[in-house]
Amino acid sequence: MCQPYTSPAMMRQARMLQLRTAWRLLPYALRHTTHKPFRSTPQARNATDQLQSAEFRRTAHDMYCEMFLDGYRQATSYRVSRDTGLALVLFMVFIFTFDQEFEHARRLGDPPGYQSVIDTPRVAEIWTALADYLRAFGRDEEILAHLRSTFAKHYDDYCGYVAEASGGAEFAVTLRLVERDSGMTLRTVYEIIRLFNGHRSHPGCARQFFDVGMAGKFLDDIRDMVDDVAAGDPNLLYSLAAENHRERDVLEAAMEKGEPIDLWWWANNCPCTLESFFAHTFRYYDQVLATKLRLSLDICHCLLYSRRYWRTPIRRSPIGAQ
């Protein structure tokens, strides 16, 4: 039986979740819009004073990265240096910009090698700032080696999955791509925290970070679906809809007419696809046991019930955070 995700009872629950999440988010917002603790140290200023990236100026990265630090601490009970924060911010800005350059190059032809993307000016300046910051703490060799090893091991497979999933593919194919993309991105965030602080491996925590990446991408793709399809990009929700022939036809007709497609449209027109989509989403969400790590997902979930959110222009993000 398909569930009424926009029923009055569900909307009341969503409103309560929005209020609780806003209250939990408030300290992060105040801290990073006023004190900017990650950016105020001498090491931070020295590494980033020449950085021109507009993306780096977004305070949202600092807030999410502090959630990641708090979630890691909660999941492992390890002590974590606050200096780790800017390393995460720079990595997330690096991945965001790398993704943009990769997509630009892919649309012009075959995707380039990962080092060619890193060497583009917009990406290279962030990589350099990250390296400089890590060097100030003696962590550059180990962490940069891990990043290079991850690219060398997975990049070719990732390009293959992108090619296979683009233009509309089976859900299983799109899911494999997301595992190599968003799932691995958040798993790498875990590794940066671990390596920066000299901690031993914690497989349970690593898995929770992977699940944050996966659930976040699901929550992101429901908002991005129309734009992704228009651009020929893979999308989890669209690939799920394609498995239900009746609802696929309804969706295709609505997109052809240019109808606004939001959460309420899905609930009224493709309820079974929506139910399946949320079932997959919360299969990952429920594995994130650290509540402070889960906060990043609660934010994404709450936004789906905001009509203003559906009218806001999309920003592409590898972690599912608009």
Side-chain angles (χ1 to χ4, degrees):
M1 181 68 179
C2 301
Q3 299 298 315
Y5 281 95
T6 56
S7 67
M10 183 66 74
M11 293 304 297
R12 286 193 296 271
Q13 292 179 27
R15 181 59 179 163
M16 292 301 299
L17 177 62
Q18 287 174 330
L19 292 173
R20 290 196 302 269
T21 302
W23 182 252
R24 295 168 64 200
L25 176 61
L26 182 60
Y28 292 94
L30 291 175
R31 194 156 42 246
H32 291 286
T33 55
T34 56
H35 302 302
K36 301 185 183 298
F38 293 165
R39 301 170 185 246
S40 60
T41 65
Q43 296 93 333
R45 290 192 294 268
N46 289 339
T48 63
D49 61 354
Q50 301 298 317
L51 197 55
Q52 301 297 312
S53 169
E55 189 64 27
F56 176 68
R57 294 194 291 271
R58 295 190 67 239
T59 305
H61 289 298
D62 301 59
M63 292 189 286
Y64 276 102
C65 287
E66 187 177 8
M67 294 173 206
F68 298 153
L69 290 180
D70 288 347
Y72 177 96
R73 188 183 297 110
Q74 187 179 24
T76 62
S77 299
Y78 297 159
R79 297 187 58 155
V80 177
S81 169
R82 184 62 60 183
D83 293 324
T84 316
L86 189 67
L88 298 188
V89 171
L90 288 168
F91 171 71
M92 296 309 300
V93 175
F94 163 76
I95 284 295
F96 184 96
T97 310
F98 182 99
D99 185 62
Q100 288 186 323
E101 293 294 326
F102 172 86
E103 288 299 328
H104 176 71
R106 183 176 72 86
R107 288 187 171 90
L108 295 177
D110 292 333
Y114 67 85
Q115 191 60 54
S116 297
V117 181
I118 293 175
D119 289 340
T120 59
R122 292 179 64 233
V123 182
E125 69 157 350
I126 304 165
W127 178 270
T128 299
L130 174 61
D132 289 346
Y133 184 73
L134 294 173
R135 192 173 301 114
F137 298 94
R139 296 298 187 184
D140 54 314
E141 291 187 8
E142 190 173 15
I143 292 177
L144 295 182
H146 176 80
L147 297 180
R148 292 190 184 97
S149 174
T150 300
F151 273 114
K153 183 177 180 180
H154 298 288
Y155 183 78
D156 287 344
D157 287 342
Y158 170 74
C159 292
Y161 287 133
V162 170
E164 187 178 4
S166 296
E170 293 181 356
F171 175 73
V173 174
T174 307
L175 188 65
R176 286 198 298 271
L177 169 61
V178 173
E179 289 173 348
R180 291 296 190 277
D181 187 354
S182 301
M184 187 167 294
T185 294
L186 267 293
R187 171 62 189 264
T188 303
V189 167
Y190 155 82
E191 292 290 352
I192 292 173
I193 300 172
R194 183 183 72 81
L195 293 171
F196 192 97
N197 291 275
H199 294 158
R200 63 184 181 275
S201 179
H202 193 294
C205 182
R207 178 68 202 195
Q208 289 189 60
F209 271 81
F210 174 84
D211 289 330
V212 167
M214 295 298 294
K217 181 59 174 171
F218 270 92
L219 293 169
D220 196 43
D221 269 14
I222 188 171
R223 171 66 176 84
D224 291 352
M225 192 277 302
V226 172
D227 282 23
D228 283 344
V229 173
D233 291 336
N235 184 279
L236 288 162
L237 180 57
Y238 184 69
S239 63
L240 263 181
E243 297 182 350
N244 183 314
H245 297 312
R246 187 195 69 80
E247 294 191 349
R248 178 198 61 195
D249 292 344
V250 171
L251 175 61
E252 296 287 356
M255 288 193 294
E256 186 172 336
K257 294 176 184 176
E259 294 181 12
I261 298 177
D262 55 18
L263 181 66
W264 293 265
W265 185 94
W266 283 102
N268 291 327
N269 295 278
C270 298
C272 293
T273 296
L274 185 64
E275 181 181 18
S276 177
F277 183 81
F278 275 125
H280 283 286
T281 302
F282 282 95
R283 187 172 298 121
Y284 293 103
Y285 176 96
D286 290 342
Q287 299 305 311
V288 183
L289 304 180
T291 56
K292 293 182 178 180
L293 187 58
R294 188 185 282 185
L295 176 57
S296 61
L297 298 177
D298 289 336
I299 294 169
C300 296
H301 186 204
C302 286
L303 287 172
L304 296 182
Y305 289 89
S306 166
R307 292 187 184 274
R308 180 180 177 183
Y309 171 68
W310 289 91
R311 297 192 298 267
T312 302
I314 290 175
R315 298 186 69 263
R316 300 294 179 181
S317 170
I319 64 172
Q322 300 294 332

